[in-house]
Amino acid sequence: MRTKPTYQTWIRVNKLLIFLGISLLFLMITFFPISIYLRILSGMLALPFLYIVFILSYSIFQFAGFGGNYQSKIHDVIVSRMDVESGKILDIGTGSGSLIIKIAKRFPHSSLIGIDYWGENWEYSKAQCEENAEIEGVSDRIQFLKASASKLPFRDAEFDVVVSCLTFHEVKDSRNKTDVIREAFRVLKPGGTFVFMDLFLDEAMFGERTELVADLTDTVELKQEKLTDVLNLPKLLLNKKVLGNAMVFHGKKTK
Ligand SMILES: C[S@@+](CC[C@H](N)C(=O)[O-])C[C@H]1O[C@@H](n2cnc3c(N)ncnc32)[C@H](O)[C@@H]1O
């Protein structure tokens, strides 16, 4: 068994390798004994892919523990907005378990569940979460379940706190992301609290923000914070394709 937990970043290494492969292919073509125009064209086609490789590699470095550690810092922002001493906590889209394990350590009287669909296009797994929790000494209080955020396998009002980080926009089995957020509210007790970090400013994903908030606030009191207002992020992470659209929604269920 491992002795150190492994928490990958939010950037998929496979994705990085695909873009790197395409860039290298275009660059190799520039050395082929073919028309100079085709070689120039190939070199130009390599440029956008190289730019993506740069952005992805830089993001991995900034998110990872060996670099800027921003993934953990963002999780700290979520934990700092949690209002709980004990009770039952749910993390939707738990990934490698990094957020929920952090929460378990911060709130030693809580019991916790992390759900994820752990699809093949991601590099996390349930076994990895369980092993991480074991290594971190919190496995007796955390359960990991395979489920989709769009249809949570829980009764109404089962949790005191629900958290989620960068997951709602990824849910593919529900076209309407507001429905996925509502599903999270369904399993929260009246009086219970929630903290969600996601790309809520991305209108293609979530629609216009005032409409989104109006849609949600019939059953919750909701505070909104731009991530950039609560955490100093390196400039390149503010790219709209990375965290430029990130916001924290937090508050309380009223009924
Ligand atoms: C960017 S990662 C964030 C992981 C984790 N919340 C964190 O902060 O480290 C997005 C996560 O959403 C999960 N996910 C995507 N679609 C999902 C779905 N339909 N139901 C549950 N989880 C899903 C992925 O498996 C992945 O773990």
Side-chain angles (χ1 to χ4, degrees), residues 10 71 75 91-96 98-99 115-119 122 124 147-150 165-167 170-173:
W10 297 323
Q71 209 159 293
H75 287 166
D91 176 22
I92 298 174
T94 202
S96 61
S98 48
L99 172 61
I115 72 104
D116 203 295
Y117 89 129
W118 291 297
W122 285 91
Y124 311 120
S148 177
S150 63
C165 184
L166 274 184
T167 294
E170 293 286 354
V171 176
K172 304 281 186 287
D173 54 355

PDB file of all heavy atoms in Angstrom, residues 10 71 75 91-96 98-99 115-119 122 124 147-150 165-167 170-173, ligand 1:
ATOM      1  N   TRP A  10      -6.725  18.975 -11.367  1.00  0.00           N
ATOM      2  CA  TRP A  10      -7.956  18.934 -12.170  1.00  0.00           C
ATOM      3  C   TRP A  10      -7.660  18.802 -13.661  1.00  0.00           C
ATOM      4  O   TRP A  10      -8.577  18.661 -14.471  1.00  0.00           O
ATOM      5  CB  TRP A  10      -8.759  20.226 -11.944  1.00  0.00           C
ATOM      6  CG  TRP A  10      -9.230  20.393 -10.534  1.00  0.00           C
ATOM      7  CD1 TRP A  10      -9.666  19.399  -9.707  1.00  0.00           C
ATOM      8  CD2 TRP A  10      -9.309  21.606  -9.786  1.00  0.00           C
ATOM      9  NE1 TRP A  10     -10.015  19.922  -8.490  1.00  0.00           N
ATOM     10  CE2 TRP A  10      -9.809  21.286  -8.512  1.00  0.00           C
ATOM     11  CE3 TRP A  10      -9.019  22.938 -10.067  1.00  0.00           C
ATOM     12  CZ2 TRP A  10     -10.014  22.237  -7.522  1.00  0.00           C
ATOM     13  CZ3 TRP A  10      -9.228  23.890  -9.093  1.00  0.00           C
ATOM     14  CH2 TRP A  10      -9.722  23.530  -7.828  1.00  0.00           C
ATOM     15  N   GLN A  71      -4.955  24.234  -5.975  1.00  0.00           N
ATOM     16  CA  GLN A  71      -6.111  23.351  -5.798  1.00  0.00           C
ATOM     17  C   GLN A  71      -6.446  23.249  -4.306  1.00  0.00           C
ATOM     18  O   GLN A  71      -7.596  23.388  -3.906  1.00  0.00           O
ATOM     19  CB  GLN A  71      -5.778  21.982  -6.375  1.00  0.00           C
ATOM     20  CG  GLN A  71      -6.990  21.251  -6.873  1.00  0.00           C
ATOM     21  CD  GLN A  71      -6.623  20.174  -7.871  1.00  0.00           C
ATOM     22  OE1 GLN A  71      -6.167  20.497  -8.971  1.00  0.00           O
ATOM     23  NE2 GLN A  71      -6.806  18.940  -7.503  1.00  0.00           N
ATOM     24  N   HIS A  75      -9.702  24.642  -2.147  1.00  0.00           N
ATOM     25  CA  HIS A  75     -10.435  23.803  -1.191  1.00  0.00           C
ATOM     26  C   HIS A  75     -10.486  24.495   0.185  1.00  0.00           C
ATOM     27  O   HIS A  75     -11.506  24.419   0.887  1.00  0.00           O
ATOM     28  CB  HIS A  75      -9.779  22.421  -1.076  1.00  0.00           C
ATOM     29  CG  HIS A  75     -10.012  21.549  -2.284  1.00  0.00           C
ATOM     30  ND1 HIS A  75      -9.307  20.407  -2.537  1.00  0.00           N
ATOM     31  CD2 HIS A  75     -10.900  21.662  -3.313  1.00  0.00           C
ATOM     32  CE1 HIS A  75      -9.736  19.849  -3.662  1.00  0.00           C
ATOM     33  NE2 HIS A  75     -10.700  20.599  -4.147  1.00  0.00           N
ATOM     34  N   ASP A  91     -19.962  15.394  -0.381  1.00  0.00           N
ATOM     35  CA  ASP A  91     -19.160  16.063  -1.416  1.00  0.00           C
ATOM     36  C   ASP A  91     -19.557  15.469  -2.771  1.00  0.00           C
ATOM     37  O   ASP A  91     -19.410  14.260  -2.987  1.00  0.00           O
ATOM     38  CB  ASP A  91     -17.662  15.832  -1.145  1.00  0.00           C
ATOM     39  CG  ASP A  91     -16.771  16.426  -2.234  1.00  0.00           C
ATOM     40  OD1 ASP A  91     -17.227  17.338  -2.943  1.00  0.00           O
ATOM     41  OD2 ASP A  91     -15.607  15.982  -2.353  1.00  0.00           O
ATOM     42  N   ILE A  92     -20.042  16.326  -3.659  1.00  0.00           N
ATOM     43  CA  ILE A  92     -20.513  15.856  -4.973  1.00  0.00           C
ATOM     44  C   ILE A  92     -19.390  16.023  -6.006  1.00  0.00           C
ATOM     45  O   ILE A  92     -18.918  17.140  -6.235  1.00  0.00           O
ATOM     46  CB  ILE A  92     -21.765  16.656  -5.395  1.00  0.00           C
ATOM     47  CG1 ILE A  92     -22.890  16.415  -4.395  1.00  0.00           C
ATOM     48  CG2 ILE A  92     -22.198  16.278  -6.803  1.00  0.00           C
ATOM     49  CD1 ILE A  92     -24.129  17.265  -4.620  1.00  0.00           C
ATOM     50  N   GLY A  93     -18.979  14.912  -6.613  1.00  0.00           N
ATOM     51  CA  GLY A  93     -17.867  14.939  -7.578  1.00  0.00           C
ATOM     52  C   GLY A  93     -16.549  14.988  -6.840  1.00  0.00           C
ATOM     53  O   GLY A  93     -15.737  15.886  -7.026  1.00  0.00           O
ATOM     54  N   THR A  94     -16.336  13.960  -6.018  1.00  0.00           N
ATOM     55  CA  THR A  94     -15.235  14.013  -5.039  1.00  0.00           C
ATOM     56  C   THR A  94     -13.848  13.797  -5.660  1.00  0.00           C
ATOM     57  O   THR A  94     -12.839  14.099  -5.028  1.00  0.00           O
ATOM     58  CB  THR A  94     -15.550  12.993  -3.907  1.00  0.00           C
ATOM     59  OG1 THR A  94     -14.839  13.344  -2.740  1.00  0.00           O
ATOM     60  CG2 THR A  94     -15.234  11.564  -4.311  1.00  0.00           C
ATOM     61  N   GLY A  95     -13.785  13.283  -6.890  1.00  0.00           N
ATOM     62  CA  GLY A  95     -12.501  13.149  -7.596  1.00  0.00           C
ATOM     63  C   GLY A  95     -11.566  12.157  -6.927  1.00  0.00           C
ATOM     64  O   GLY A  95     -11.836  10.962  -6.863  1.00  0.00           O
ATOM     65  N   SER A  96     -10.465  12.667  -6.396  1.00  0.00           N
ATOM     66  CA  SER A  96      -9.507  11.806  -5.676  1.00  0.00           C
ATOM     67  C   SER A  96      -9.731  11.876  -4.170  1.00  0.00           C
ATOM     68  O   SER A  96      -8.922  11.350  -3.403  1.00  0.00           O
ATOM     69  CB  SER A  96      -8.082  12.220  -6.018  1.00  0.00           C
ATOM     70  OG  SER A  96      -7.880  13.560  -5.605  1.00  0.00           O
ATOM     71  N   SER A  98      -9.697  14.626  -2.311  1.00  0.00           N
ATOM     72  CA  SER A  98      -8.864  15.624  -1.613  1.00  0.00           C
ATOM     73  C   SER A  98      -9.684  16.607  -0.766  1.00  0.00           C
ATOM     74  O   SER A  98      -9.311  16.906   0.373  1.00  0.00           O
ATOM     75  CB  SER A  98      -7.983  16.383  -2.602  1.00  0.00           C
ATOM     76  OG  SER A  98      -8.743  16.831  -3.694  1.00  0.00           O
ATOM     77  N   LEU A  99     -10.818  17.091  -1.312  1.00  0.00           N
ATOM     78  CA  LEU A  99     -11.620  18.057  -0.544  1.00  0.00           C
ATOM     79  C   LEU A  99     -12.280  17.386   0.653  1.00  0.00           C
ATOM     80  O   LEU A  99     -12.211  17.880   1.780  1.00  0.00           O
ATOM     81  CB  LEU A  99     -12.672  18.708  -1.455  1.00  0.00           C
ATOM     82  CG  LEU A  99     -13.702  19.598  -0.758  1.00  0.00           C
ATOM     83  CD1 LEU A  99     -13.033  20.774  -0.041  1.00  0.00           C
ATOM     84  CD2 LEU A  99     -14.745  20.125  -1.757  1.00  0.00           C
ATOM     85  N   ILE A 115     -19.340  11.312  -3.400  1.00  0.00           N
ATOM     86  CA  ILE A 115     -19.832  10.577  -4.589  1.00  0.00           C
ATOM     87  C   ILE A 115     -19.128  11.089  -5.842  1.00  0.00           C
ATOM     88  O   ILE A 115     -18.712  12.252  -5.917  1.00  0.00           O
ATOM     89  CB  ILE A 115     -21.375  10.657  -4.774  1.00  0.00           C
ATOM     90  CG1 ILE A 115     -21.812  12.063  -5.230  1.00  0.00           C
ATOM     91  CG2 ILE A 115     -22.135  10.228  -3.535  1.00  0.00           C
ATOM     92  CD1 ILE A 115     -22.175  12.138  -6.671  1.00  0.00           C
ATOM     93  N   ASP A 116     -19.018  10.203  -6.790  1.00  0.00           N
ATOM     94  CA  ASP A 116     -18.452  10.585  -8.090  1.00  0.00           C
ATOM     95  C   ASP A 116     -18.873   9.508  -9.080  1.00  0.00           C
ATOM     96  O   ASP A 116     -19.174   8.384  -8.687  1.00  0.00           O
ATOM     97  CB  ASP A 116     -16.920  10.631  -8.021  1.00  0.00           C
ATOM     98  CG  ASP A 116     -16.314  11.519  -9.107  1.00  0.00           C
ATOM     99  OD1 ASP A 116     -16.449  11.178 -10.297  1.00  0.00           O
ATOM    100  OD2 ASP A 116     -15.695  12.540  -8.763  1.00  0.00           O
ATOM    101  N   TYR A 117     -18.901   9.871 -10.373  1.00  0.00           N
ATOM    102  CA  TYR A 117     -19.211   8.796 -11.332  1.00  0.00           C
ATOM    103  C   TYR A 117     -17.912   8.133 -11.808  1.00  0.00           C
ATOM    104  O   TYR A 117     -17.945   7.099 -12.434  1.00  0.00           O
ATOM    105  CB  TYR A 117     -20.075   9.334 -12.480  1.00  0.00           C
ATOM    106  CG  TYR A 117     -19.323   9.897 -13.655  1.00  0.00           C
ATOM    107  CD1 TYR A 117     -19.592   9.497 -14.945  1.00  0.00           C
ATOM    108  CD2 TYR A 117     -18.323  10.851 -13.460  1.00  0.00           C
ATOM    109  CE1 TYR A 117     -18.894  10.005 -16.020  1.00  0.00           C
ATOM    110  CE2 TYR A 117     -17.621  11.367 -14.527  1.00  0.00           C
ATOM    111  CZ  TYR A 117     -17.902  10.946 -15.796  1.00  0.00           C
ATOM    112  OH  TYR A 117     -17.202  11.448 -16.858  1.00  0.00           O
ATOM    113  N   TRP A 118     -16.753   8.726 -11.469  1.00  0.00           N
ATOM    114  CA  TRP A 118     -15.426   8.169 -11.804  1.00  0.00           C
ATOM    115  C   TRP A 118     -15.407   7.600 -13.230  1.00  0.00           C
ATOM    116  O   TRP A 118     -15.064   6.428 -13.437  1.00  0.00           O
ATOM    117  CB  TRP A 118     -14.991   7.111 -10.769  1.00  0.00           C
ATOM    118  CG  TRP A 118     -14.677   7.685  -9.424  1.00  0.00           C
ATOM    119  CD1 TRP A 118     -13.682   8.577  -9.137  1.00  0.00           C
ATOM    120  CD2 TRP A 118     -15.363   7.455  -8.189  1.00  0.00           C
ATOM    121  NE1 TRP A 118     -13.714   8.916  -7.799  1.00  0.00           N
ATOM    122  CE2 TRP A 118     -14.727   8.241  -7.199  1.00  0.00           C
ATOM    123  CE3 TRP A 118     -16.449   6.666  -7.814  1.00  0.00           C
ATOM    124  CZ2 TRP A 118     -15.145   8.250  -5.875  1.00  0.00           C
ATOM    125  CZ3 TRP A 118     -16.858   6.675  -6.498  1.00  0.00           C
ATOM    126  CH2 TRP A 118     -16.222   7.452  -5.544  1.00  0.00           C
ATOM    127  N   GLY A 119     -15.790   8.444 -14.181  1.00  0.00           N
ATOM    128  CA  GLY A 119     -15.801   8.026 -15.589  1.00  0.00           C
ATOM    129  C   GLY A 119     -14.392   7.782 -16.104  1.00  0.00           C
ATOM    130  O   GLY A 119     -13.410   8.271 -15.524  1.00  0.00           O
ATOM    131  N   TRP A 122     -11.758  10.487 -16.729  1.00  0.00           N
ATOM    132  CA  TRP A 122     -11.068  11.136 -15.617  1.00  0.00           C
ATOM    133  C   TRP A 122      -9.999  10.188 -15.078  1.00  0.00           C
ATOM    134  O   TRP A 122     -10.073   8.985 -15.290  1.00  0.00           O
ATOM    135  CB  TRP A 122     -12.051  11.521 -14.511  1.00  0.00           C
ATOM    136  CG  TRP A 122     -12.842  12.720 -14.906  1.00  0.00           C
ATOM    137  CD1 TRP A 122     -14.032  12.719 -15.558  1.00  0.00           C
ATOM    138  CD2 TRP A 122     -12.469  14.089 -14.743  1.00  0.00           C
ATOM    139  NE1 TRP A 122     -14.432  14.003 -15.806  1.00  0.00           N
ATOM    140  CE2 TRP A 122     -13.494  14.862 -15.315  1.00  0.00           C
ATOM    141  CE3 TRP A 122     -11.383  14.739 -14.154  1.00  0.00           C
ATOM    142  CZ2 TRP A 122     -13.465  16.245 -15.321  1.00  0.00           C
ATOM    143  CZ3 TRP A 122     -11.350  16.121 -14.163  1.00  0.00           C
ATOM    144  CH2 TRP A 122     -12.375  16.861 -14.740  1.00  0.00           C
ATOM    145  N   TYR A 124      -9.233   9.728 -11.839  1.00  0.00           N
ATOM    146  CA  TYR A 124      -9.455   9.432 -10.417  1.00  0.00           C
ATOM    147  C   TYR A 124     -10.201   8.106 -10.303  1.00  0.00           C
ATOM    148  O   TYR A 124     -10.806   7.655 -11.268  1.00  0.00           O
ATOM    149  CB  TYR A 124     -10.348  10.487  -9.770  1.00  0.00           C
ATOM    150  CG  TYR A 124      -9.993  11.930 -10.016  1.00  0.00           C
ATOM    151  CD1 TYR A 124     -10.897  12.783 -10.647  1.00  0.00           C
ATOM    152  CD2 TYR A 124      -8.781  12.463  -9.582  1.00  0.00           C
ATOM    153  CE1 TYR A 124     -10.599  14.120 -10.841  1.00  0.00           C
ATOM    154  CE2 TYR A 124      -8.484  13.805  -9.779  1.00  0.00           C
ATOM    155  CZ  TYR A 124      -9.399  14.633 -10.403  1.00  0.00           C
ATOM    156  OH  TYR A 124      -9.116  15.953 -10.589  1.00  0.00           O
ATOM    157  N   ALA A 147     -21.915   7.295  -8.105  1.00  0.00           N
ATOM    158  CA  ALA A 147     -23.264   7.783  -8.439  1.00  0.00           C
ATOM    159  C   ALA A 147     -23.119   9.031  -9.292  1.00  0.00           C
ATOM    160  O   ALA A 147     -22.051   9.654  -9.311  1.00  0.00           O
ATOM    161  CB  ALA A 147     -24.030   8.117  -7.167  1.00  0.00           C
ATOM    162  N   SER A 148     -24.214   9.386  -9.962  1.00  0.00           N
ATOM    163  CA  SER A 148     -24.158  10.630 -10.732  1.00  0.00           C
ATOM    164  C   SER A 148     -24.764  11.781  -9.932  1.00  0.00           C
ATOM    165  O   SER A 148     -25.788  11.612  -9.252  1.00  0.00           O
ATOM    166  CB  SER A 148     -24.909  10.489 -12.051  1.00  0.00           C
ATOM    167  OG  SER A 148     -24.879  11.745 -12.711  1.00  0.00           O
ATOM    168  N   ALA A 149     -24.160  12.940 -10.086  1.00  0.00           N
ATOM    169  CA  ALA A 149     -24.651  14.150  -9.431  1.00  0.00           C
ATOM    170  C   ALA A 149     -26.064  14.494  -9.881  1.00  0.00           C
ATOM    171  O   ALA A 149     -26.794  15.193  -9.182  1.00  0.00           O
ATOM    172  CB  ALA A 149     -23.712  15.304  -9.762  1.00  0.00           C
ATOM    173  N   SER A 150     -26.457  13.995 -11.055  1.00  0.00           N
ATOM    174  CA  SER A 150     -27.781  14.338 -11.584  1.00  0.00           C
ATOM    175  C   SER A 150     -28.894  13.535 -10.919  1.00  0.00           C
ATOM    176  O   SER A 150     -30.064  13.883 -11.032  1.00  0.00           O
ATOM    177  CB  SER A 150     -27.818  14.098 -13.093  1.00  0.00           C
ATOM    178  OG  SER A 150     -27.607  12.730 -13.335  1.00  0.00           O
ATOM    179  N   CYS A 165     -17.030  20.932  -5.752  1.00  0.00           N
ATOM    180  CA  CYS A 165     -15.986  21.779  -6.341  1.00  0.00           C
ATOM    181  C   CYS A 165     -15.785  21.414  -7.803  1.00  0.00           C
ATOM    182  O   CYS A 165     -15.428  20.263  -8.124  1.00  0.00           O
ATOM    183  CB  CYS A 165     -14.684  21.592  -5.552  1.00  0.00           C
ATOM    184  SG  CYS A 165     -13.368  22.667  -6.112  1.00  0.00           S
ATOM    185  N   LEU A 166     -16.046  22.359  -8.682  1.00  0.00           N
ATOM    186  CA  LEU A 166     -15.805  22.224 -10.134  1.00  0.00           C
ATOM    187  C   LEU A 166     -16.423  20.971 -10.747  1.00  0.00           C
ATOM    188  O   LEU A 166     -15.794  20.336 -11.588  1.00  0.00           O
ATOM    189  CB  LEU A 166     -14.295  22.228 -10.409  1.00  0.00           C
ATOM    190  CG  LEU A 166     -13.622  23.584 -10.577  1.00  0.00           C
ATOM    191  CD1 LEU A 166     -12.154  23.386 -10.944  1.00  0.00           C
ATOM    192  CD2 LEU A 166     -14.296  24.439 -11.642  1.00  0.00           C
ATOM    193  N   THR A 167     -17.623  20.627 -10.333  1.00  0.00           N
ATOM    194  CA  THR A 167     -18.242  19.392 -10.821  1.00  0.00           C
ATOM    195  C   THR A 167     -19.509  19.626 -11.635  1.00  0.00           C
ATOM    196  O   THR A 167     -19.691  19.012 -12.685  1.00  0.00           O
ATOM    197  CB  THR A 167     -18.532  18.448  -9.643  1.00  0.00           C
ATOM    198  OG1 THR A 167     -17.290  18.030  -9.089  1.00  0.00           O
ATOM    199  CG2 THR A 167     -19.325  17.224 -10.069  1.00  0.00           C
ATOM    200  N   GLU A 170     -19.440  19.746 -15.286  1.00  0.00           N
ATOM    201  CA  GLU A 170     -18.937  18.532 -15.944  1.00  0.00           C
ATOM    202  C   GLU A 170     -20.027  17.482 -16.144  1.00  0.00           C
ATOM    203  O   GLU A 170     -19.812  16.506 -16.855  1.00  0.00           O
ATOM    204  CB  GLU A 170     -17.829  17.879 -15.089  1.00  0.00           C
ATOM    205  CG  GLU A 170     -16.559  18.688 -14.963  1.00  0.00           C
ATOM    206  CD  GLU A 170     -15.728  18.665 -16.236  1.00  0.00           C
ATOM    207  OE1 GLU A 170     -16.076  17.929 -17.171  1.00  0.00           O
ATOM    208  OE2 GLU A 170     -14.734  19.397 -16.297  1.00  0.00           O
ATOM    209  N   VAL A 171     -21.173  17.653 -15.497  1.00  0.00           N
ATOM    210  CA  VAL A 171     -22.194  16.605 -15.512  1.00  0.00           C
ATOM    211  C   VAL A 171     -22.850  16.535 -16.887  1.00  0.00           C
ATOM    212  O   VAL A 171     -23.536  17.462 -17.311  1.00  0.00           O
ATOM    213  CB  VAL A 171     -23.239  16.872 -14.394  1.00  0.00           C
ATOM    214  CG1 VAL A 171     -24.365  15.854 -14.460  1.00  0.00           C
ATOM    215  CG2 VAL A 171     -22.555  16.825 -13.040  1.00  0.00           C
ATOM    216  N   LYS A 172     -22.615  15.429 -17.565  1.00  0.00           N
ATOM    217  CA  LYS A 172     -23.070  15.326 -18.958  1.00  0.00           C
ATOM    218  C   LYS A 172     -24.460  14.692 -19.068  1.00  0.00           C
ATOM    219  O   LYS A 172     -25.109  14.826 -20.090  1.00  0.00           O
ATOM    220  CB  LYS A 172     -22.092  14.462 -19.782  1.00  0.00           C
ATOM    221  CG  LYS A 172     -20.646  14.941 -19.762  1.00  0.00           C
ATOM    222  CD  LYS A 172     -20.441  16.112 -20.713  1.00  0.00           C
ATOM    223  CE  LYS A 172     -18.983  16.533 -20.826  1.00  0.00           C
ATOM    224  NZ  LYS A 172     -18.426  17.229 -19.671  1.00  0.00           N
ATOM    225  N   ASP A 173     -24.900  13.967 -18.028  1.00  0.00           N
ATOM    226  CA  ASP A 173     -26.181  13.280 -18.167  1.00  0.00           C
ATOM    227  C   ASP A 173     -27.365  14.165 -17.763  1.00  0.00           C
ATOM    228  O   ASP A 173     -28.474  13.676 -17.569  1.00  0.00           O
ATOM    229  CB  ASP A 173     -26.188  11.940 -17.408  1.00  0.00           C
ATOM    230  CG  ASP A 173     -25.800  12.075 -15.962  1.00  0.00           C
ATOM    231  OD1 ASP A 173     -25.421  13.186 -15.550  1.00  0.00           O
ATOM    232  OD2 ASP A 173     -25.888  11.084 -15.223  1.00  0.00           O
TER     233      ASP A 173
HETATM  234  C1  LIG B   1     -12.548  18.996 -11.940  1.00  0.00           C
HETATM  235  S1  LIG B   1     -12.864  17.471 -11.148  1.00  0.00           S
HETATM  236  C2  LIG B   1     -13.077  18.025  -9.477  1.00  0.00           C
HETATM  237  C3  LIG B   1     -12.802  16.934  -8.461  1.00  0.00           C
HETATM  238  C4  LIG B   1     -12.931  17.359  -7.007  1.00  0.00           C
HETATM  239  N1  LIG B   1     -14.217  17.961  -6.733  1.00  0.00           N
HETATM  240  C5  LIG B   1     -11.820  18.287  -6.579  1.00  0.00           C
HETATM  241  O1  LIG B   1     -12.090  19.453  -6.290  1.00  0.00           O
HETATM  242  O2  LIG B   1     -10.662  17.840  -6.544  1.00  0.00           O
HETATM  243  C6  LIG B   1     -14.530  17.121 -11.674  1.00  0.00           C
HETATM  244  C7  LIG B   1     -15.086  15.863 -11.070  1.00  0.00           C
HETATM  245  O3  LIG B   1     -16.446  15.751 -11.468  1.00  0.00           O
HETATM  246  C8  LIG B   1     -16.713  14.369 -11.603  1.00  0.00           C
HETATM  247  N2  LIG B   1     -17.952  14.200 -12.371  1.00  0.00           N
HETATM  248  C9  LIG B   1     -18.175  14.481 -13.678  1.00  0.00           C
HETATM  249  N3  LIG B   1     -19.438  14.164 -14.020  1.00  0.00           N
HETATM  250  C10 LIG B   1     -20.037  13.671 -12.911  1.00  0.00           C
HETATM  251  C11 LIG B   1     -21.335  13.173 -12.622  1.00  0.00           C
HETATM  252  N4  LIG B   1     -22.282  13.095 -13.559  1.00  0.00           N
HETATM  253  N5  LIG B   1     -21.599  12.776 -11.362  1.00  0.00           N
HETATM  254  C12 LIG B   1     -20.653  12.833 -10.395  1.00  0.00           C
HETATM  255  N6  LIG B   1     -19.396  13.294 -10.613  1.00  0.00           N
HETATM  256  C13 LIG B   1     -19.090  13.704 -11.852  1.00  0.00           C
HETATM  257  C14 LIG B   1     -15.472  13.840 -12.297  1.00  0.00           C
HETATM  258  O4  LIG B   1     -15.372  12.430 -12.190  1.00  0.00           O
HETATM  259  C15 LIG B   1     -14.396  14.569 -11.511  1.00  0.00           C
HETATM  260  O5  LIG B   1     -13.998  13.852 -10.392  1.00  0.00           O
END
